[in-house]
Amino acid sequence: MFHIFFYVAALQKAARNNDVEVVYFLLLKEKEINKVLFEMNVNLKQIVIPSSVTSIGYGAFYECSSLTQISIPSSVSSIGNYAFSECSKLTKIKIPSSVTSIGKYCF
């Protein structure tokens, strides 16, 4: 359990520092991006999601007000409610055809 705390802390710190490469590396083992990891991060400007991720969960990037672009791989099949809600600067997002479910108020 202790190592999970350090993993989440490292991921949140990398996101706060807008370190795209470290965030990508740390997400390689994840299947879902959930609310705990990025919610309300005002420093995150862009993110590249690795192909290991199959789901973007509820509120995953909620209120990431500096996020301008995101790359979603074809491995993702669902995007949860409020996933990108209140991301006021998000101007570029490509949703692959593999996404079969998009939640309420996603954008």
Side-chain angles (χ1 to χ4, degrees):
M1 181 74 165
F2 197 62
H3 68 282
I4 293 172
F5 171 78
F6 282 110
Y7 168 77
V8 171
L11 190 53
Q12 289 174 333
K13 181 179 179 184
R16 277 193 309 274
N17 292 333
N18 200 36
D19 193 336
V20 177
E21 291 83 15
V22 172
V23 170
Y24 180 86
F25 176 76
L26 290 171
L27 284 175
L28 281 174
K29 295 182 179 182
E30 296 299 315
K31 293 207 179 279
E32 179 179 8
I33 298 174
N34 62 39
K35 190 173 185 175
V36 175
L37 298 178
F38 298 110
E39 177 188 32
M40 300 176 79
N41 183 316
V42 297
N43 297 320
L44 187 64
K45 294 180 182 173
Q46 64 178 1
I47 187 164
V48 176
I49 298 173
S51 60
S52 59
V53 174
T54 59
S55 175
I56 299 172
Y58 177 95
F61 296 94
Y62 179 77
E63 281 193 40
C64 288
S65 57
S66 296
L67 188 63
T68 59
Q69 61 183 16
I70 188 161
S71 178
I72 299 174
S74 60
S75 59
V76 172
S77 61
S78 67
I79 301 174
N81 297 342
Y82 299 94
F84 299 100
S85 185
E86 304 298 325
C87 294
S88 56
K89 293 184 181 175
L90 186 61
T91 57
K92 187 175 182 179
I93 184 167
K94 183 177 179 187
I95 300 173
S97 61
S98 61
V99 174
T100 57
S101 173
I102 297 177
K104 292 182 190 177
Y105 312 110
C106 183
F107 299 99

